[in-house]
């Protein structure tokens, strides 16, 4: 009897949580917190589509016949590819995980899968398993590896076409859901047993079938993942709040709560860990013409804003078909790296601060230390943001809404100098010594009473 009781208790304690928040084991909570602590990741969209240099949707965009498209593989030979160089650069940028597109919507697998010959080892002259090289380089450099996996497939005849994939020129009536589902699970099994510890599986494309009667059988698929690697988190870019055994919520091209890209309309911000993914230019896969890159400073602002909104920032790069990263991306990674080198301790291991995002910026928090990130200051010499004030042409001051708690010390992070502050209404006015002109002017404040950072992950 005692044995059964102990067994039941152990079982309950190790139960993974459902997104609806039923039970969270300590282990699950710890892994989710570790994910949140990592804060900054690099997203890689790389496949045979990179050769056509117009994004990862080109097969769909040009309605390319699947057999013609498949011939691209015969020319894929990324001779400059060095997983180690990539990972070293990501590390220099301050990233703490990499999310790699193992198989995108075009259905081409970037690893030595036995489930289909349509893969980088069997179908290209390159013949090497790039996922394996990446997994090795990641493990060497303490970088977590996450794997993107598309639910939608534009190549396989057994995939039942949906609202998007159905527009391609080859629905030949050969759909077989059981066969496709078994194929996906066989591939996921390889990914989770042959490449070391995987930090997360990142699904995408489920929106191809929104019909209620279409059953993706996620519960069994998620259970398989947790069985193979209990520490592997699950995220799904279905653009809604997390369901089932999902561990974190994804936002595409938007910070949590925003919907400028039109993907997050239906999504409430959940209590689970959050991750925002974003392109540097306008395209995920390599584009030879898209030069609409955000500046390095703008990317830093987005990363910091994400942290202040309690979200991880997953910044995308579309490597070139020759295996090199675009020059613009390299330049921006170095720029972010210089900022992170000096300031990552105000980002890593923090949560969104107890002061919610303001017009002037955001706060991050670790324990009783509040990091105040002033991101938006002045335009054309004029203070434009509520909360920032310049009195009689004098020094700039900032209003920090902090009711019911007190500040015991505020310093300017760049030189450690102490700043004056005083109570004002429902908060504090902090006097800035000079015009804060860096991309992110950071103040470090000590809260004298315990004020909780935003919490998610449970
Ligand atoms: C979209 C696109 C896809 C891209 C993904 C990244 O869902 O279909 O191409 O991989 O967003 O968030």
């Amino acid at each position: 009897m005692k044995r059964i009781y102990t067994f039941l208790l152990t079982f309950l304690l190790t139960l993974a949580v459902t997104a609806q928040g039923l039970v969270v084991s300590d282990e699950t909570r710890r892994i989710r917190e570790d994910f949140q602590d990592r804060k900054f990741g690099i997203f890689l969209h790389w496949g045979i589509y990179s050769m056509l240099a117009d994004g990862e949707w080109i097969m769909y965009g040009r309605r390319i016949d699947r057999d013609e498209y498949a011939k691209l593989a015969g020319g894929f030979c990324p001779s400059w590819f060095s997983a180690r160089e990539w990972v070293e650069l990501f590390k220099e940028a301050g990233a703490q995980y990499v999310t790699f597109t193992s198989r995108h919507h075009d259905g081409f697998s970037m690893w030595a899968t036995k489930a289909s010959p349509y893969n980088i080892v069997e179908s290209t002259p390159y013949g090497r398993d790039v996922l394996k090289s990446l997994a090795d380089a990641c493990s060497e450099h303490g970088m977590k590896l996450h794997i993107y996996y598309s639910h939608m497939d534009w190549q396989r005849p057994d995939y039942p076409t949906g609202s998007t994939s159905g527009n391609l020129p080859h629905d030949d009536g050969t759909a077989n859901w059981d066969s496709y589902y078994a194929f996906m699970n066989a591939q996921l099994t390889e990914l989770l047993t042959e490449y070391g510890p995987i930090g997360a599986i990142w699904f995408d494309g489920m929106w191809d079938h929104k019909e209620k009667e279409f059953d993706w059988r996620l519960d069994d698929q998620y259970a398989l993942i947790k069985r193979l690697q209990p520490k592997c988190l699950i995220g799904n870019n279905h653009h809604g709040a997390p369901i089932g055994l999902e561990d974190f919520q994804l936002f595409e091209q938007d910070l949590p709560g925003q919907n400028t890209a039109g993907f997050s309309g239906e999504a409430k911000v959940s209590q689970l860990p959050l991750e925002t993914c974003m392109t540097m230019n306008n395209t995920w896969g390599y584009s030879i013409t898209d030069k609409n890159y955000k500046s390095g400073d703008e990317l830093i602002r987005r990363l910091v804003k994400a942290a202040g909104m309690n979200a991880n920032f997953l910044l995308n790069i579309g490597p070139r078909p020759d295996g090199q990263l675009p020059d613009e991306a390299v330049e921006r990674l170095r720029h972010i790296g210089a900022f992170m080198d000096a300031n990552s301790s105000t980002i890593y291991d923090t949560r969104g601060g107890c002061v919610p995002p303001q017009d002037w910026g955001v706060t991050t928090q670790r324990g009783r230390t509040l990091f105040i990130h002033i991101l938006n200051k002045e335009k054309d010499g004029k203070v434009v943001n509520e909360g920032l004030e310049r009195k009689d042409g004098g020094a700039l001051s900032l209003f920090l809404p902090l009711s019911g708690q007190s500040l015991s010390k505020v310093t300017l992070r760049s030189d450690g100098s102490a700043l004056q502050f005083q109570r004002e209404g429902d908060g504090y006015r902090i006097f800035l010594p000079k015009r804060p002109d860096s991309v992110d002017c950071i103040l470090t404040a000590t809260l004298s009473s315990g004020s909780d950072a935003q919490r998610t992950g449970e």
Side-chain angles (χ1 to χ4, degrees):
M1 189 63 195
K2 199 173 162 209
R3 254 210 205 146
I4 295 178
Y5 178 74
T6 320
F7 171 78
L8 270 177
L9 195 70
T10 321
F11 176 70
L12 280 176
L13 284 174
T14 51
L15 259 191
V17 71
T18 68
Q20 285 77 24
L22 290 182
V23 185
V24 192
S25 69
D26 285 350
E27 179 69 346
T28 303
R29 186 171 295 147
R30 199 191 56 69
I31 296 159
R32 288 179 181 174
E33 288 199 346
D34 173 72
F35 168 60
Q36 289 184 291
D37 287 347
R38 291 178 176 260
K39 279 288 173 297
F40 177 32
I42 297 293
F43 208 172
L44 291 172
H45 276 73
W46 200 38
I48 55 175
Y49 47 78
S50 311
M51 298 171 75
L52 299 181
D54 195 12
E56 77 293 353
W57 272 72
I58 187 153
M59 177 176 176
Y60 179 85
R62 300 224 193 133
R63 305 291 190 269
I64 303 175
D65 172 81
R66 65 157 80 102
D67 296 330
E68 286 304 317
Y69 184 88
K71 291 175 190 158
L72 281 175
F76 192 62
C77 196
S79 48
W80 295 107
F81 172 64
S82 161
R84 182 177 289 163
E85 278 173 27
W86 283 12
V87 173
E88 280 168 3
L89 181 64
F90 303 156
K91 213 173 169 171
E92 190 187 322
Q96 307 214 69
Y97 61 100
V98 178
T99 307
F100 182 71
T101 45
S102 64
R103 173 173 149 280
H104 208 273
H105 308 328
D106 69 350
F108 187 78
S109 299
M110 295 291 279
W111 79 97
T113 178
K114 291 183 194 69
S116 156
Y118 195 44
N119 71 66
I120 188 158
V121 177
E122 281 179 74
S123 299
T124 75
Y126 189 63
R128 275 173 259 164
D129 185 337
V130 292
L131 182 64
K132 182 79 179 69
S133 315
L134 198 61
D136 291 347
C138 282
S139 114
E140 196 181 316
H141 289 284
M143 185 80 78
K144 275 255 161 130
L145 177 63
H146 293 194
I147 292 184
Y148 169 108
Y149 189 83
S150 175
H151 268 129
M152 173 168 70
D153 191 299
W154 297 333
Q155 180 66 227
R156 288 180 65 90
D158 58 357
Y159 174 74
T161 52
S163 58
T164 300
S165 55
N167 294 319
L168 280 158
H170 44 246
D171 184 353
D172 37 21
T174 49
N176 180 338
W177 170 250
D178 285 342
S179 144
Y180 182 68
Y181 187 69
F183 158 77
M184 283 196 294
N185 289 346
Q187 286 211 313
L188 288 166
T189 303
E190 292 173 350
L191 293 170
L192 290 159
T193 52
E194 292 167 28
Y195 295 87
I198 302 301
I201 296 286
W202 205 106
F203 287 109
D204 189 22
M206 217 179 96
W207 27 260
D208 194 32
H209 284 282
K210 288 203 180 103
E211 324 85 85
K212 282 230 157 46
E213 58 280 10
F214 192 91
D215 183 5
W216 280 99
R217 285 161 63 186
L218 292 182
D219 286 351
D220 288 349
Q221 192 164 64
Y222 289 176
L224 170 75
I225 294 170
K226 296 288 182 188
R227 201 161 58 241
L228 293 171
Q229 284 206 24
K231 294 186 179 172
C232 178
L233 300 177
I234 300 173
N236 191 329
N237 191 27
H238 47 48
H239 302 148
I243 48 176
L245 286 174
E246 290 167 15
D247 297 282
F248 61 106
Q249 182 172 8
L250 314 179
F251 296 86
E252 184 175 336
Q253 300 284 32
D254 264 313
L255 293 169
Q258 298 178 336
N259 187 24
T260 60
F263 296 123
S264 311
E266 302 150 27
K268 281 215 180 87
V269 179
S270 92
Q271 286 306 297
L272 289 172
L274 313 172
E275 185 191 63
T276 278
C277 61
M278 208 165 269
T279 48
M280 279 195 189
N281 48 2
N282 293 333
T283 332
W284 298 98
Y286 176 59
S287 163
I288 204 163
T289 48
D290 178 4
K291 297 289 174 191
N292 195 14
Y293 277 86
K294 296 163 192 79
S295 70
D297 277 355
E298 181 54 24
L299 292 171
I300 291 171
R301 269 185 223 113
R302 306 239 182 158
L303 161 64
V304 174
K305 272 191 194 159
M309 297 174 92
N310 216 18
N312 284 18
F313 190 65
L314 184 62
L315 179 61
N316 182 71
I317 298 173
R320 295 195 322 225
D322 65 2
Q324 300 215 50
L325 305 177
D327 299 337
E328 294 89 341
V330 174
E331 201 182 290
R332 280 157 183 76
L333 287 183
R334 296 226 158 96
H335 186 80
I336 298 171
F339 168 82
M340 289 297 271
D341 209 27
N343 299 306
S344 64
S345 66
T346 69
I347 308 280
Y348 297 154
D349 308 332
T350 65
R351 297 293 180 268
C354 61
V355 175
Q358 303 290 310
D359 269 2
W360 46 257
V362 295
T363 62
T364 51
Q365 185 172 346
R366 190 184 312 106
R368 282 171 42 205
T369 306
L370 186 70
F371 301 105
I372 304 168
H373 300 266
I374 310 172
L375 297 167
N376 312 314
K377 290 139 235 153
E378 298 169 294
K379 236 191 209 144
D380 310 323
K382 289 196 187 105
V383 177
V384 288
N385 292 297
E386 213 175 295
L388 268 185
E389 219 176 83
R390 189 185 293 283
K391 281 231 170 78
D392 310 323
L396 208 56
S397 69
L398 170 95
F399 180 71
L400 186 74
L402 190 72
S403 54
Q405 297 141 30
S406 45
L407 281 186
S408 63
K409 194 178 167 197
V410 183
T411 56
L412 185 67
R413 185 175 167 87
S414 57
D415 63 8
S417 59
L419 301 184
Q420 300 294 311
F421 57 93
Q422 67 190 33
R423 262 258 172 238
E424 187 181 298
D426 264 357
Y428 283 89
R429 183 153 296 279
I430 302 171
F431 298 94
L432 305 167
K434 56 176 180 174
R435 189 165 169 234
D437 49 8
S438 63
V439 52
D440 178 11
C441 171
I442 307 173
L443 317 182
T444 307
T446 309
L447 299 163
S448 58
S449 62
S451 352
D452 284 341
Q454 298 167 36
R455 283 195 74 83
T456 52
E458 300 184 350

